[in-house]
Amino acid sequence: SESLPKFVVQSFEQAFNADDLDATVALFDDDAQILPEHGPMISGREGISAFLKDQMTPVVSFNTEADMSLIRDDIAIEQGHYRVRDVRRGSDVEEGKYMHVWRNRGEGWKLYRVMYNTDVAAPTAVSVAQAAEQEEGG
């Protein structure tokens, strides 16, 4: 079975790490959606642009590695794992898995759906609750 070309798979990571918002947004299909781990679904170019702008920082690099990709007609699925690296400290701050659905409507492969989730458990909810109890003298 056919798999996605390497330059397609690496295009998001390269544009994102270059802090090139326009180039990153250009990779998305007109009716693309991002399904982030926390918070509502993000739709449309404006929403995606605002979301990505918020995520972009020269301090952090985003490293994706595709474990598999599969093409069926005009749709391709890419599944892999990612690492977020703190460039200043030189250490990984997060890792997880992701799924990209690409669509090709004659103008090359564009991101149609982006979904990711972390492997790192988030202890925040617990610590916030504990802090509130302590403040109340509980």
Side-chain angles (χ1 to χ4, degrees):
S1 73
E2 208 184 343
S3 56
L4 282 165
K6 200 167 178 127
F7 77 89
V8 173
V9 169
Q10 292 176 341
S11 58
F12 179 81
E13 175 188 322
Q14 286 175 345
F16 189 87
N17 286 340
D19 297 314
D20 190 337
L21 185 62
D22 292 342
T24 311
V25 173
L27 294 171
F28 285 82
D29 205 27
D30 288 336
D31 51 357
Q33 292 179 333
I34 297 178
L35 286 58
E37 182 152 34
H38 302 290
M41 185 168 63
I42 290 128
S43 301
R45 280 190 190 278
E46 276 181 38
I48 286 171
S49 179
F51 177 78
L52 290 172
K53 186 177 183 180
D54 208 38
Q55 302 275 316
M56 269 181 193
T57 162
V59 177
V60 165
S61 75
F62 184 64
N63 177 263
T64 56
E65 199 150 328
D67 298 317
M68 62 81 78
S69 69
L70 171 68
I71 296 175
R72 286 283 178 277
D73 302 319
D74 62 340
I75 294 282
I77 295 166
E78 171 197 349
Q79 181 183 331
H81 55 280
Y82 71 86
R83 286 194 317 275
V84 178
R85 194 164 178 81
D86 184 322
V87 179
R88 288 180 304 191
R89 287 192 318 196
S91 59
D92 294 345
V93 289
E94 189 190 318
E95 56 187 52
K97 54 255 171 231
Y98 71 90
M99 188 174 285
H100 288 167
V101 178
W102 298 81
R103 186 159 71 168
N104 190 339
R105 293 190 288 182
E107 295 169 16
W109 292 104
K110 299 282 185 187
L111 282 164
Y112 182 58
R113 293 291 183 272
V114 170
M115 191 172 196
Y116 58 89
N117 54 56
T118 178
D119 290 346
V120 182
T124 46
V126 178
S127 59
V128 168
Q130 285 172 338
E133 279 174 32
Q134 284 164 353
E135 277 175 34
E136 289 163 18

